[in-house]
């Protein structure tokens, strides 16, 4: 007995016309396959038996990729079994192939036994007679030995192939309502078709048990090789994971370790305060402030400078402000101005600072703050950027000044722009190493599940 | 297995080396000054570099 005879030559149940493959559009743009009558247009989707008869090949093309086959004999837990039949089922809710095989075996003492094969796993099931069962206990649930099982947990399997001897005569496309649930450490399955209810109880088998029972030496060798390689990939993934965690710990430690330089804004000399700068197009405002001196010590280190708008002093609203931050060594500045910190002299010096052949500053950072709003296709928006930061390495310890130059389209309080200098540790490379190692973890974890020398699928054990 | 240990050690070692020696970060101080000095030697007064004011993208407004 075999299941897929004459399925392609089937005719429309309504008019006897030819049936052809077609598509139906669902959820706006998703195409699902259906069968359609070319004469009357009747559609057969996955909720009809005709659909499974028409598309039988799509659900059975890999039916021979299994260690189990008809007539195979094997000994499991001291009992000899012979495979005598098989049914392949397809999950009705899936458009793609989502099948499982139920192999019927008979033991040497004449008892029927099922081996259910799905996604590379095999479960061993035996028929079970429950103490009590009520499939119509209520509209919402069934009852099995006092356990309530929601009818929402049921799923429909459709028979797409059968072969060999079976305990009943199935039909391609026949619907079977299935319940899978656990009770007392066992997995139970109830399968309810139009005229039959089958209850089985089972447990998972390892592939080693199946291959020892039904396989040959070549299968055992390929299985051993596969498991060995999978273990190797799994161990590699563990090594990379350990490395990733170490790199991540180092990154977190570095990221959370910072030392703020104290008193960077303590001494303040305002050289210019909102000086009006006019050109042909606009009027802008220019301020110059010298802060410090403050002590930087600790040898060659990495520093972060954050420059930001303190909106407690003045809100930045629909305007912009640019800044230039310069770090200037005290002894260098003192030498140039002969220790004369007169405001006018400093003003002259800093106004021409870019024109000096010999640079005064040890480092410079520039940036912008802005606040804007508008309307686009998503509606009104309001955005701002009130922070800027930069990192640099400083080798020379000593006292430094911070020179801040501000340029804005509206008058701005000079105290509304603040900055902080922090001695930090580099962590960006360790973050990159963490990411690289995690990628290697994922690759090797995937290989540890997928590597397979056997001609049939075996799940990760 | 041994290969994965070596790869892990190389990656962590490289990350640690670059973090400890601050590879790739801009350097302030003498190195910055000498670079700026060289840059300014090639500039003449009146070039764009000498236009005063902050250098932000709004500066030209």
């Amino acid at each position: 007995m075999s299941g897929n005879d004459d399925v392609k030559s089937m005719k429309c149940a309504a008019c006897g016309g030819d049936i052809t493959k077609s598509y139906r559009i669902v959820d706006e743009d998703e195409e699902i396959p259906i069968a359609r009558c070319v004469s009357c247009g009747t559609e057969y989707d996955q909720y009809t038996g005709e659909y499974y008869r028409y598309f039988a090949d799509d659900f059975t093309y890999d039916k021979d990729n299994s260690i189990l086959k008809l007539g195979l004999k094997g000994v499991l837990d001291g009992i000899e079994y012979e495979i005598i039949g098989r049914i392949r089922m397809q999950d009705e809710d899936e458009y793609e192939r989502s099948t499982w095989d139920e192999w019927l075996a008979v033991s040497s003492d004449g008892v029927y036994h099922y081996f259910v094969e799905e996604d590379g796993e095999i479960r061993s099931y035996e028929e079970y007679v429950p103490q009590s069962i009520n499939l119509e206990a209520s509209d919402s649930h069934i009852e099995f030995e006092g356990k309530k099982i929601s009818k929402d947990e049921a799923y429909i399997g459709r028979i797409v192939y059968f072969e060999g001897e079976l305990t009943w005569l199935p039909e391609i496309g026949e619907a079977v309502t299935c319940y899978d649930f656990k009770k007392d450490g066992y997995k139970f399955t109830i399968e309810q078709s139009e005229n039959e209810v089958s209850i089985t109880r089972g447990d998972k088998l390892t592939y080693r048990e199946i291959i020892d029972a039904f396989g040959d030496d070549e299968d055992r060798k390929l299985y051993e090789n596969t498991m060995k390689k999978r273990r190797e990939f799994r161990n590699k993934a563990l090594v990379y994971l350990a490395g990733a965690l170490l790199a991540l710990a180092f990154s977190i430690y570095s990221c959370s370790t910072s030392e703020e330089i104290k008193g960077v804004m303590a001494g303040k000399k305002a050289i210019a305060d909102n000086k009006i700068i006019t050109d042909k197009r606009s009027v802008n405002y220019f301020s110059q402030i010298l802060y410090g001196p403050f002590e930087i010590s600790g040898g060659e280190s990495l520093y972060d400078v954050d420059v930001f708008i303190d909106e407690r002093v003045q809100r930045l609203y629909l305007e912009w402000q640019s800044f230039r931050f310069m770090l200037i060594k005290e002894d260098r500045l003192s030498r140039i101005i002969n220790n004369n910190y007169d405001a006018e002299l400093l003003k002259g010096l800093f106004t021409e600072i870019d024109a000096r052949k010999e640079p005064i500053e040890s480092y410079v950072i520039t940036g912008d703050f802005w606040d804007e709003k508008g309307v686009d296709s998503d509606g009104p928006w309001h955005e701002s950027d009130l922070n800027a930061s930069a990192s640099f390495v400083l080798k020379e310890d000593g006292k430094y000044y911070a020179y801040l130059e501000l340029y804005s389209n509206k008058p701005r309080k000079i105290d509304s722009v603040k900055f902080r200098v922090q001695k930090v540790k580099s962590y960006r490379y360790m973050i990159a190493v963490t990411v690289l190692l995690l990628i290697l973890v994922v690759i090797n974890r995937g290989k540890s599940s997928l590597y397979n020398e056997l001609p049939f699928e075996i799940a990760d054990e | 297995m041994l290969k994965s240990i070596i790869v892990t050690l190389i990656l962590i070692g490289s990350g640690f080396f670059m973090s400890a020696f601050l590879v790739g970060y801009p350097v302030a101080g003498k190195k910055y000054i000498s670079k700026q000095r060289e840059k300014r030697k090639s500039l003449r007064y009146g070039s764009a570099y000498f236009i005063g004011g902050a250098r932000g993208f709004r500066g030209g407004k």
Side-chain angles (χ1 to χ4, degrees):
Chain A
M1 179 171 71
S2 174
N4 292 347
D5 304 331
D6 300 328
V7 288
K8 287 291 179 184
S9 60
M10 60 181 283
K11 299 289 183 185
C12 173
C15 72
D18 289 336
I19 288 179
T20 187
K21 187 176 183 179
S22 183
Y23 290 94
R24 181 190 291 164
I25 307 292
V26 295
D27 298 333
E28 292 186 359
D29 58 354
E30 191 186 358
E31 277 188 349
I32 61 162
I34 57 164
R36 188 194 301 273
C37 174
V38 293
S39 299
C40 68
T42 302
E43 293 184 348
Y44 298 99
D45 62 16
Q46 79 263 36
Y47 303 108
T48 65
E50 287 82 351
Y51 174 88
Y52 295 93
R53 288 198 282 280
Y54 186 80
F55 288 106
D57 289 350
D58 293 345
F59 302 120
T60 56
Y61 64 88
D62 63 342
K63 65 181 170 56
D64 296 328
N65 291 346
S66 173
I67 187 170
L68 301 176
K69 51 181 174 282
L70 285 189
L72 198 64
K73 289 182 181 174
V75 178
L76 197 64
D77 293 334
I79 302 170
E80 188 182 51
Y81 295 95
E82 181 180 353
I83 307 288
I84 59 167
R86 171 220 216 166
I87 291 178
R88 172 166 280 206
M89 310 278 272
Q90 159 76 16
D91 189 339
E92 188 186 76
D93 285 337
E94 300 291 334
Y95 310 128
E96 307 285 328
R97 190 184 68 82
S98 174
T99 60
W100 68 94
D101 289 293
E102 298 179 0
W103 296 91
L104 176 63
V106 61
S107 65
S108 48
D109 50 3
V111 175
Y112 287 127
H113 199 90
Y114 295 90
F115 295 102
V116 178
E117 185 177 14
E118 184 177 13
D119 296 333
E121 283 186 1
I122 294 186
R123 285 179 182 273
S124 165
Y125 284 89
E126 59 192 12
E127 289 186 342
Y128 181 79
V129 180
Q131 289 171 345
S132 66
I133 181 167
N134 186 352
L135 296 175
E136 298 301 331
S138 79
D139 288 343
S140 62
H141 67 268
I142 65 169
E143 224 170 83
F144 180 88
E145 293 184 340
K147 181 183 172 82
K148 285 182 177 177
I149 299 150
S150 170
K151 286 187 175 176
D152 291 341
E153 289 176 28
Y155 60 93
I156 308 286
R158 292 279 188 164
I159 296 169
V160 292
Y161 180 78
F162 59 87
E163 62 180 337
E165 296 174 37
L166 297 165
T167 54
W168 91 103
L169 183 63
E171 274 182 40
I172 300 294
E174 187 179 338
V176 179
T177 304
C178 307
Y179 294 89
D180 287 340
F181 57 94
K182 275 193 169 174
K183 187 175 179 292
D184 304 330
Y186 288 101
K187 191 168 177 185
F188 287 86
T189 296
I190 299 174
E191 292 188 357
Q192 183 186 11
S193 58
E194 202 172 325
N195 301 315
E196 177 148 338
V197 176
S198 130
I199 300 156
T200 50
R201 184 180 74 172
D203 217 346
K204 189 180 166 186
L205 296 170
T206 63
Y207 240 95
R208 173 180 289 281
E209 290 173 293
I210 287 290
I211 284 177
D212 283 346
F214 295 102
D216 55 21
D217 288 345
E218 180 66 11
D219 289 333
R220 273 185 274 281
K221 187 179 145 201
L222 294 176
Y223 175 80
E224 287 303 329
N225 289 347
T226 299
M227 289 299 122
K228 189 179 166 204
K229 287 294 269 185
R230 285 187 179 188
R231 269 195 304 277
E232 280 176 22
F233 285 124
R234 199 157 40 240
N235 289 340
K236 279 184 182 181
L238 283 174
V239 170
Y240 292 135
L241 182 64
L245 291 175
L246 186 68
L248 183 66
F250 185 86
S251 306
I252 292 170
Y253 167 75
S254 302
C255 195
S256 59
T257 308
S258 64
E259 184 190 321
E260 187 162 346
I261 307 297
K262 302 285 181 197
V264 290
M265 295 191 74
K268 184 178 83 175
K269 290 183 185 69
I271 300 166
D273 189 349
N274 286 289
K275 183 180 153 192
I276 295 171
I277 308 276
T278 53
D279 61 28
K280 286 176 188 169
R281 290 178 295 170
S282 59
V283 176
N284 293 315
Y285 299 86
F286 183 60
S287 300
Q288 297 165 286
I289 315 108
L290 187 68
Y291 290 98
F294 48 88
E295 185 79 31
I296 292 183
S297 60
E300 182 175 342
S301 301
L302 184 65
Y303 292 88
D304 264 357
V305 174
D306 298 311
V307 186
F308 55 96
I309 297 280
D310 185 348
E311 290 207 296
R312 290 172 303 179
V313 178
Q314 187 181 5
R315 189 182 174 201
L316 191 86
Y317 182 72
L318 300 183
E319 58 189 306
W320 56 262
Q321 184 167 35
S322 298
F323 74 87
R324 184 157 69 150
F325 174 94
M326 286 182 173
L327 193 66
I328 299 169
K329 203 145 196 272
E330 185 200 31
D331 54 5
R332 195 168 173 80
L333 181 63
S334 297
R335 198 166 55 245
I336 288 167
I337 59 175
N338 288 324
N339 257 338
N340 183 357
Y341 284 84
D342 175 69
E344 280 304 311
L345 184 66
L346 288 172
K347 192 175 183 174
L349 175 74
F350 285 114
T351 305
E352 298 294 324
I353 193 164
D354 292 317
R356 295 181 61 85
K357 286 279 183 194
E358 180 63 17
I360 299 174
E361 76 277 12
S362 293
Y363 200 64
V364 65
I365 299 162
T366 59
D368 304 282
F369 308 119
W370 52 268
D371 180 86
E372 291 175 354
K373 69 176 182 180
V375 178
D376 62 17
S377 56
D378 293 332
W381 55 267
H382 190 168
E383 292 177 359
S384 57
D385 185 0
L386 308 178
N387 291 281
S389 64
S391 303
F392 58 86
V393 175
L394 185 64
K395 291 184 177 179
E396 296 92 27
D397 290 350
K399 286 192 168 178
Y400 284 84
Y401 284 100
Y403 168 67
L404 196 59
E405 209 171 77
L406 304 168
Y407 199 63
S408 56
N409 63 334
K410 291 180 184 173
R412 301 273 315 158
K413 289 181 182 171
I414 55 176
D415 290 334
S416 66
V417 177
K418 295 197 167 143
F419 62 90
R420 75 172 74 90
V421 183
Q422 294 179 97
K423 191 164 140 184
V424 295
K425 288 190 187 301
S426 169
Y427 58 85
R428 67 186 186 191
Y429 296 114
M430 277 308 195
I431 293 278
V433 168
T434 305
V435 171
L436 278 175
L437 287 168
L438 286 177
I439 290 170
L440 290 171
V441 171
V442 172
I443 291 170
N444 282 278
R445 200 69 196 90
K447 283 183 175 175
S448 79
S449 301
L450 299 175
Y451 185 83
N452 191 5
E453 293 185 15
L454 288 154
F456 41 82
E457 186 182 3
I458 56 172
D460 198 10
E461 293 181 342
Chain B
M1 180 82 169
L2 182 66
K3 206 167 93 181
S4 59
I5 292 172
I6 292 169
V7 168
T8 303
L9 290 176
I10 288 172
L11 283 172
I12 290 182
S14 307
F16 186 80
F17 172 84
M18 289 196 284
S19 300
F21 291 93
L22 303 170
V23 175
Y25 287 95
V27 180
K30 283 177 185 164
K31 194 172 171 184
Y32 169 87
I33 290 169
S34 83
K35 206 187 263 182
Q36 287 298 312
R37 192 184 290 130
E38 288 306 309
K39 204 184 265 182
R40 291 181 195 186
K41 267 184 194 169
S42 61
L43 295 169
R44 288 181 302 168
Y45 194 86
S47 68
Y49 189 81
F50 288 106
I51 295 169
R55 290 287 180 272
F57 74 96
R58 310 278 180 180
K61 275 193 175 180

